[in-house]
Amino acid sequence: MKEPVHIFWFRRDLRLNDNAGLWQALQSGVRVLPIFIFDKNILDSLEKNDARVTFIHQCIHYLQQQLQAIGSDLEVFYGYPLEIFKHLGEQYLLKMVFANEDYEPYARQRDSQLQDFLHSIGAKLQLLKDQVVFEKTEILSNTQSVYTVFTPYSKKWLQKFSNKALEAYETEKHWQNFHKVSHKSNLISLEEMGFQKASQSFPKPEINELILKNYAEKRNYPFIESTSRLGVHLRFGTISIRELARKAENLSNSFLNELIWRDFYMMILWNFPYVAQSAFRKEYDAIPWRNNLEEFERWCEGKTGYPMVDAGMRELNATGFMHNRVRMVTASFLTKHLLIDWRWGEAYFAKKLLDFDLAANNGGWQWASSSGCDAAPYFRIFNPTEQIKKFDPQLIYIKKWIPEINEFSYPKPIVEHSFARQRALDTYKKTLESLK
């Protein structure tokens, strides 16, 4: 007789505490087998020194240790999810598979295929909301339509925001319901999966209350340690969005607003999945991008001759992080000054950012290129030189990443600002007017 189990599948929720799907699984009355899958569908497209794989591997190792300490274990697999669940179906009598919702197109396709397979063997997939405060169609206008502009969405979000939405799931009260094991399993190594261990360190999953208190005042200055650095932890769920939102509610409306933006872009991706490949405003797909490869490579390397842009790109390449103000400047420069397709920049950020999140990255790049769900018109173009005067006037950030800033070796500007600005305005205007 096969042993009946429920499975909890860790994905973007790499923690035991305050985990909605795990809490639901542990309530089920059947022993819960926790698993994690290093998904080859995702990993095969990554560079072999991708630091995010190291980060995930460290998180999985810690989770496994936690579970082994209470007499359970985390079964870790490397392969294709559907094949692995077919294997588990042969090994156990599967009743239910619990997981937390993932809103990205690949995840939706993967989960749909899994649902079909589980149905064929008399089992069921149950997905829970965990990585956002409000999801899908929870925030609707008075006419019951999805919001496509942030400001009215955020107002309705705040109206619905309550202590109930932020209640923690007390999973630790039910840990006795985990599947029990007599032998501890070993964790597959990075090398066995063909990856190298990253040398960089990662920020800790700790909420710095002082940073939150000063967030509104200091968040735009890249030379100050003024941002939470929690992006990678929200991306992989090593910190609870509910815990962070509770802190933000008490300490910083400005930081809470950033969490609302995060929910907004997740909602947009769910309801308009085409944005993963195309402009939200479809007429912007007609923009005739220049797509000069040499200029793109200079942007990637931080050699455009515009210090704010170059410092940001060098910081990204060296650390996997870029300050949010600088993200806006670099993205605006690529799309407006160089007229290079926002998808090129989006893909580069997706490859380099530790905290890469498809919804937020896509939303940010479409915001910069004016092709997204944003009320501002296309003639918003950042002046990189003015941005330095406002946000790094003493060149502290610039000199950190461009030590040769005052030497002849630093390149001349790749394009003149006024010329590039006018070229972008003319290109956008001509294209959009031709479609009327």
Side-chain angles (χ1 to χ4, degrees):
M1 289 288 290
K2 295 180 184 177
E3 180 184 2
V5 297
H6 286 173
I7 285 178
F8 178 73
W9 181 11
F10 283 99
R11 307 189 310 184
R12 292 183 54 163
D13 48 5
L14 305 182
R15 67 187 187 282
L16 293 183
N17 65 297
D18 192 13
N19 184 318
L22 180 58
W23 182 87
Q24 191 69 36
L26 292 170
Q27 301 290 310
S28 63
V30 177
R31 292 289 185 187
V32 174
L33 173 69
I35 72 166
F36 179 81
I37 299 171
F38 282 103
D39 186 345
K40 282 179 63 65
N41 289 317
I42 297 172
L43 296 185
D44 286 353
S45 66
L46 302 179
E47 294 181 347
K48 297 311 177 185
N49 62 349
D50 194 308
R52 292 166 295 191
V53 182
T54 297
F55 178 81
I56 294 169
H57 194 267
Q58 290 178 0
C59 295
I60 295 305
H61 179 61
Y62 179 61
L63 266 179
Q64 194 174 58
Q65 287 181 319
Q66 285 182 292
L67 286 162
Q68 289 175 351
I70 59 173
S72 186
D73 204 350
L74 178 66
E75 287 206 30
V76 180
F77 301 92
Y78 171 59
Y80 301 102
L82 192 58
E83 292 179 5
I84 287 163
F85 274 99
K86 288 177 179 178
H87 166 73
L88 288 167
E90 295 170 357
Q91 191 175 358
Y92 297 100
L93 179 60
L94 297 187
K95 297 284 190 179
M96 293 278 294
V97 175
F98 294 86
N100 287 311
E101 192 84 64
D102 191 334
Y103 307 99
E104 297 184 2
Y106 164 68
R108 294 174 68 173
Q109 178 187 22
R110 174 198 63 199
D111 291 350
S112 177
Q113 292 173 345
L114 176 59
Q115 190 122 29
D116 290 344
F117 164 69
L118 292 174
H119 180 75
S120 73
I121 62 170
K124 183 181 177 184
L125 174 65
Q126 184 168 347
L127 299 174
L128 284 295
K129 177 184 70 173
D130 184 74
Q131 63 169 304
V132 293
V133 178
F134 297 115
E135 66 172 2
K136 299 180 181 177
T137 56
E138 285 191 281
I139 304 294
L140 296 173
S141 70
N142 293 336
T143 59
Q144 297 301 293
S145 59
V146 173
Y147 284 106
T148 58
V149 177
F150 176 73
T151 300
Y153 170 88
S154 66
K155 290 178 179 176
K156 185 62 71 71
W157 192 101
L158 287 166
Q159 289 175 13
K160 193 166 183 175
F161 188 59
S162 65
N163 289 335
K164 184 170 178 57
L166 300 182
E167 286 180 0
Y169 293 91
E170 297 180 320
T171 52
E172 60 274 12
K173 292 184 177 180
H174 308 282
W175 285 359
Q176 72 276 9
N177 295 331
F178 278 117
H179 179 68
K180 303 301 180 187
V181 297
S182 55
H183 300 286
K184 296 178 181 178
S185 62
N186 294 318
L187 177 60
I188 185 172
S189 69
L190 287 167
E191 291 73 20
E192 287 175 287
M193 297 186 289
F195 285 87
Q196 304 160 16
K197 184 177 181 180
S199 58
Q200 67 203 83
S201 59
F202 303 106
K204 294 181 180 179
E206 297 171 355
I207 302 171
N208 187 317
E209 294 191 3
L210 184 60
I211 282 180
L212 263 58
K213 286 177 182 177
N214 295 323
Y215 188 75
E217 178 187 352
K218 297 182 178 180
R219 70 190 182 101
N220 276 309
Y221 300 97
F223 61 91
I224 304 173
E225 289 290 332
S226 58
T227 59
S228 72
R229 299 292 181 111
L230 292 175
V232 66
H233 296 291
L234 284 174
R235 169 63 180 87
F236 296 110
T238 47
I239 190 170
S240 160
I241 184 65
R242 290 170 292 278
E243 179 186 3
L244 187 54
R246 287 195 299 272
K247 293 278 189 181
E249 182 185 22
N250 294 324
L251 297 171
S252 174
N253 290 333
S254 180
F255 191 87
L256 184 63
N257 196 59
E258 295 301 314
L259 299 183
I260 302 174
W261 271 108
R262 185 173 176 273
D263 273 14
F264 177 69
Y265 283 140
M266 292 272 195
M267 178 275 296
I268 291 293
L269 182 62
W270 175 269
N271 287 287
F272 307 95
Y274 71 86
V275 299
Q277 288 86 33
S278 307
F280 177 81
R281 300 183 188 185
K282 295 186 178 181
E283 65 272 23
Y284 281 74
D285 279 332
I287 298 293
W289 304 108
R290 293 175 60 250
N291 289 346
N292 183 297
L293 183 58
E294 180 184 348
E295 292 181 1
F296 177 69
E297 289 175 349
R298 286 182 63 177
W299 176 84
C300 292
E301 295 169 0
K303 295 179 180 179
T304 68
Y306 280 87
M308 181 69 87
V309 175
D310 294 343
M313 297 307 296
R314 294 183 191 192
E315 178 184 32
L316 173 65
N317 292 332
T319 69
F321 173 81
M322 190 193 294
H323 187 279
N324 190 56
R325 166 60 52 178
V326 186
R327 294 188 197 198
M328 292 190 286
V329 175
T330 56
S332 174
F333 186 85
L334 184 75
T335 56
K336 301 288 178 65
H337 282 69
L338 301 183
L339 278 177
I340 289 177
D341 193 330
W342 59 268
R343 282 161 284 226
W344 286 32
E346 181 195 32
Y348 191 77
F349 272 29
K351 184 169 67 172
K352 294 293 184 177
L353 282 170
L354 279 179
D355 64 3
F356 165 67
D357 178 282
L358 174 57
N361 192 48
N362 180 275
W365 273 97
Q366 295 222 38
W367 183 90
S369 67
S370 302
S371 65
C373 43
D374 177 36
Y378 63 81
F379 41 81
R380 177 190 56 213
I381 301 174
F382 283 95
N383 181 328
T385 305
E386 291 300 316
Q387 291 288 308
I388 294 175
K389 292 177 183 177
K390 290 180 180 179
F391 302 114
D392 190 28
Q394 295 176 296
L395 303 185
I396 298 170
Y397 175 73
I398 300 296
K399 289 179 178 177
K400 177 179 179 180
W401 294 106
I402 313 177
E404 79 279 18
I405 185 66
N406 294 318
E407 299 174 8
F408 287 116
S409 59
Y410 184 64
K412 300 295 183 192
I414 193 172
V415 67
E416 197 271 324
H417 168 70
S418 297
F419 165 79
R421 182 179 185 279
Q422 194 59 51
R423 179 175 64 183
L425 292 173
D426 292 345
T427 301
Y428 274 71
K429 183 179 180 180
K430 181 180 179 181
T431 304
L432 296 174
E433 286 184 348
S434 71
L435 297 174
K436 291 181 180 178

